[in-house]
Amino acid sequence: MNYWLFKSEPDVFSIDDLAACRNKTTYWDGVRNYQARNYLRDTIKKGDGVLFYHSNSEPLAIVGTCEVVKEGYPDFTAFEPESKYFDPGSSPDKTVWYMVDIRLKEKLKQPVTLAMLKAKPELKNMKLLQKGNRLSVMPVTPDEWKTILEMQNL
DNA sequence: GCCAACGTTGGC
DNA sequence: GCCAACGTTGGC
């Protein structure tokens, strides 16, 4: 079992949008980066834990935990010309992009903000905090996961 | 709105 | 295969 952090802009898709989904479950579409794609296709497994992070908004923060309920399968939005995620280079025959399904486990008692994460010495190696990091799907260590979940109680 | 960092594209 | 130009991400 592994842990991950998924970024989402709440203007596009927020934790409350996920909470409003049927079974609190959605497919994680639109990832168009090869490194993130490889995680989605190859590494992320059913039952893995996911931290849901709000980017490009106030507050910048981890806002909830999710569980992977379906492992990597073709991101069909790449096949739809009307989709903003359309990619003519991907087709059902030759799929380039992948997605997983996640289900909301719980919203955190309070958002664990980027500032709080930065202030935590134990988290200084966290991928999210590394300069220039732009991955929207990234691994989190078990220790980081535990530390972050404890921080919601402060 | 700015801009640093990074990924992708395409000419050579 | 190099690398300049360009587009995107995302914190500030």
Side-chain angles (χ1 to χ4, degrees), chain A residues 37-133:
Chain A
R37 186 282 307 271
N38 291 345
Y39 287 136
L40 291 170
R41 186 186 61 188
D42 306 329
T43 319
I44 298 177
K45 298 300 178 191
K46 195 171 171 180
D48 282 0
V50 174
L51 296 170
F52 195 111
Y53 177 81
H54 278 171
S55 65
N56 266 320
S57 75
E58 269 306 311
L60 293 163
I62 293 166
V63 290
T65 57
C66 305
E67 181 180 358
V68 176
V69 293
K70 183 172 179 181
E71 293 178 12
Y73 62 104
D75 180 343
F76 55 82
T77 64
F79 311 147
E80 300 173 340
E82 64 280 3
S83 170
K84 66 175 169 174
Y85 299 128
F86 178 60
D87 179 359
S90 189
S91 69
D93 287 349
K94 240 184 140 184
T95 301
V96 177
W97 306 115
Y98 285 77
M99 58 188 179
V100 300
D101 288 358
I102 62 170
R103 178 171 57 221
L104 179 65
K105 281 174 75 180
E106 53 192 4
K107 284 180 73 171
L108 300 191
K109 292 174 200 162
Q110 63 166 333
V112 174
T113 66
L114 183 61
M116 290 165 67
L117 297 172
K118 283 182 174 172
K120 201 81 174 166
E122 301 96 299
L123 297 177
K124 70 174 190 301
N125 292 325
M126 226 188 134
K127 275 215 165 44
L128 180 70
L129 304 183
Q130 303 315 307
K131 190 173 168 184
N133 165 70

Side-chain angles (χ1 to χ4, degrees), chain A residues 3-50:
Chain A
Y3 298 103
W4 307 92
L5 182 145
F6 286 12
K7 290 181 190 169
S8 184
E9 299 190 26
D11 290 347
V12 178
F13 189 83
S14 73
I15 188 107
D16 290 324
D17 292 328
L18 177 55
C21 288
R22 191 157 59 89
N23 295 331
K24 299 183 182 179
T25 301
T26 192
Y27 50 84
W28 200 257
D29 64 357
V31 173
R32 296 292 179 267
N33 167 283
Y34 285 102
Q35 196 177 345
R37 186 282 307 271
N38 291 345
Y39 287 136
L40 291 170
R41 186 186 61 188
D42 306 329
T43 319
I44 298 177
K45 298 300 178 191
K46 195 171 171 180
D48 282 0
V50 174

